[in-house]
Amino acid sequence: MEYGNLHMRINEILEEKCISKNKICKELDIPRTNFNKYCRDSVTRFDTGLICKLCWYLNIKVGDLIEYKRPEN
């Protein structure tokens, strides 16, 4: 059974706030390869420390960052 998935809205938020991926990775000391996995929705387990860093840096709530997408029938 398909239950849907979680979508990280990082790309959209960075674009809205005019912040480059290089800048946020450098300022938060996040490896770019790991960050790219979050941007592509290709992580299976979330790093809560990273989620907290992103929310703090971007001044957003977790619900602004992560979106649940129901499966299509």
Side-chain angles (χ1 to χ4, degrees):
M1 175 169 223
E2 175 66 32
Y3 295 104
N5 60 15
L6 297 177
H7 168 64
M8 296 291 289
R9 295 192 60 251
I10 297 172
N11 291 322
E12 298 94 329
I13 294 168
L14 292 179
E15 187 174 321
E16 290 168 10
K17 295 183 177 271
C18 299
I19 299 171
S20 74
K21 290 180 184 178
N22 286 333
K23 179 180 178 179
I24 194 168
C25 287
K26 183 177 179 181
E27 292 188 5
L28 294 180
D29 194 29
I30 302 169
R32 181 65 188 263
T33 53
N34 292 354
F35 189 71
N36 284 338
K37 290 178 185 177
Y38 281 85
C39 293
R40 290 191 310 266
D41 291 332
S42 62
V43 294
T44 54
R45 295 179 184 228
F46 291 106
D47 176 343
T48 57
L50 176 61
I51 300 297
C52 291
K53 278 184 179 182
L54 292 172
C55 288
W56 174 83
Y57 184 84
L58 298 168
N59 194 28
I60 59 174
K61 296 177 182 175
V62 174
D64 298 328
L65 183 65
I66 302 172
E67 173 182 54
Y68 169 69
K69 292 196 172 186
R70 294 185 69 82
E72 304 270 332
N73 289 341

